[in-house]
Amino acid sequence: MSERKGAVGVMTVSAAMEVAIRCLGGHKRWRGCVRGLFGLWSREFEIVSAGMFASAALTFLERMTFSDGAVAEREWKISETESGLDLKASKIKLVRSGVLQGGWLVFEYSLRLGAFSCRYVDRFRPAENGQVQNRGVARIMGIPVLRIEA
């Protein structure tokens, strides 16, 4: 637990929330690739994001632009619970609270991709140089169908 200054004074946050703030707080530019269907297709992407911690929650806004010109925007809200970090956003349903595992902040949620819903494991880890690693795997019926690395 550490203390963090917020809009309502000083509040205590967990180690998991500290990692979330380090990884998703402030202004960032992410670059990466999404690969699917066992490597049969891939698309590069760039994400411009802004995260702000206030009122005991981290709000993370992202705008993802793919190499083919498609754009996706999403707002994420992360807050503390007794079992870990709660995550809310459109087209997702949290399956397991966010927790620290081996230096990675790990969220598991159900993600809607078009007509399909898949189980998605999203991992974040701050790097020594101030950068952030993000790795994700989407599975349908236990089979990996999509991988993201940024």
Side-chain angles (χ1 to χ4, degrees):
M1 294 284 205
S2 68
E3 292 184 345
R4 181 162 277 282
K5 197 171 194 175
V8 292
V10 176
M11 59 190 74
T12 304
V13 296
S14 67
M17 182 59 92
E18 277 294 329
V19 171
I21 293 166
R22 281 184 62 199
C23 290
L24 304 172
H27 295 277
K28 297 200 176 17
R29 175 161 282 166
W30 311 67
R31 293 184 191 277
C33 187
V34 58
R35 291 179 180 82
L37 299 174
F38 310 102
L40 294 176
W41 64 267
S42 69
R43 291 190 328 186
E44 292 183 0
F45 62 83
E46 179 179 271
I47 298 173
V48 176
S49 68
M52 185 176 79
F53 183 78
S55 301
L58 176 64
T59 301
F60 176 71
L61 306 168
E62 69 176 348
R63 179 182 173 90
M64 180 182 276
T65 304
F66 292 94
S67 53
D68 63 3
V71 175
E73 294 181 329
R74 186 168 289 159
E75 178 178 317
W76 303 83
K77 283 255 195 234
I78 302 171
S79 58
E80 301 262 9
T81 69
E82 287 183 19
S83 60
L85 299 182
D86 186 42
L87 179 66
K88 290 188 168 109
S90 63
K91 298 184 182 180
I92 73 142
K93 181 179 179 191
L94 190 65
V95 173
R96 189 169 300 136
S97 297
V99 294
L100 290 177
Q101 293 177 347
W104 291 83
L105 175 60
V106 180
F107 291 98
E108 188 172 341
Y109 49 90
S110 175
L111 174 66
R112 194 107 182 114
L113 296 172
F116 297 98
S117 186
C118 60
R119 179 75 55 99
Y120 191 77
V121 177
D122 210 356
R123 293 177 165 85
F124 298 90
R125 178 171 67 183
E128 294 291 321
N129 58 6
Q131 293 184 342
V132 177
Q133 293 178 313
N134 176 219
R135 294 183 181 156
V137 175
R139 288 182 165 77
I140 295 177
M141 294 174 34
I143 300 168
V145 295
L146 186 90
R147 294 185 186 278
I148 291 178
E149 189 161 332

